[in-house]
Amino acid sequence: MAKEIILVSEPWIGDKEKELVNQALDEGWVSSIGRFILEFEEKFAKFCSVKHGLAVSNGTVALHLALEALGIESGDEVLIPSLTFIATANAVHYTGAKPVCVDSEPETWNLDVEDLRKKITSKTKAIVPVHLYGHPCEMDEILEVAEENDLLVVEDCAEAHGAEYKKKKVGSFGDAGVFSFYANKVITTGEGGAIVTDDDELFEKMHFLRDHAMSKDKRYFHPEIGYNYRMTNLQAALGVAQMERIDEFIENKRKNAQLYNSLLKDTKGITLPPEKSHVKNVYWMYSILIEDEFPLTKDELMKELKEKGIDTRPFFIPINLQPPYKGQPVCRVAEEISSKGMSLPSSTKLTKEQIFGIADVINSGH
Ligand SMILES: *Cc1c(COP(=O)(O)O)cnc(C)c1O
């Protein structure tokens, strides 16, 4: 019998998901017109306590569309954390602007506001804070920097659906908040993304650009270049079903993290994931740092876990170390966190027994 592998992340697809996707199929609305799109957009915006939601094909284009609609263009600079998924940098690049890497803060692994201030130039137009692995960025300070320097803020919330900073949901702080619904994210639509905003004008602009910038008054007249960044009704049907359980998913992730924390807190050489007292971390990926005092190297531990049927994931490689972005400022803290970091299985349907088993392997004394 093949050994059961515990994956880092699997989606939880229930009966409701199947029922609603089948409804969309039966009704024949399989592309991007259909009732589930509006329902999903409404539900998701409400969940974020934001006025508008716009569903798009994935999180990467959500970032691109928001930046483009906000007028980011060639010649501009956009500040991003170096420690993030490549999509954050690429989306900036697609606008013609230059992403500029900001180093991480050692405690939360998110962008360091001190370093953010240092990286501002006369060309800087926007900041894209990333709520890494589900822990919110220091939003009050970031908004203060943005205000003082007249910068736009697009939150990359692809890993942090439902996370809160001072009791307010991420995505509701910036000019826009961007989400991904890839299979391993907090909820999934297969592939998919969304942008939330309170700004009516920005919403209209993004809506227009999402559908090839077609004029509202005259069909097939396109006053500018737009995109096909639409989500399908099939995906939105999946999303509507997932929204019924999003709070439960987040609760499960937090409970799993607490259990992991309690089992690993006394293990020498392991740094547990952060949760500052004024935030709610959704622990998208339960992530730890393997310090020098740990008896094994990170790679050795990952190998040992793999042999026991437990999948893990290394941290992102900082943007300043990616070949297309060479020439970026060195980000030492980001590089160090990246070299030590790994994520353990974090699926919403992970069982207590599985977590006990994973902690046992890590604590086995070696
Ligand atoms: C997943 C992710 C994205 C991109 O989302 P896709 O839906 O995969 O395009 C962007 N930023 C971050 C931080 C992510 O983790």
Side-chain angles (χ1 to χ4, degrees), residues 58-60 63 84-85 87-88 130 156 158-159 180 182 185 192 316:
N58 58 62
T60 308
L63 276 166
T84 182
F85 181 50
T88 316
V130 179
D156 183 339
E159 306 180 355
S180 163
Y182 186 71
K185 302 293 162 103
F316 299 119

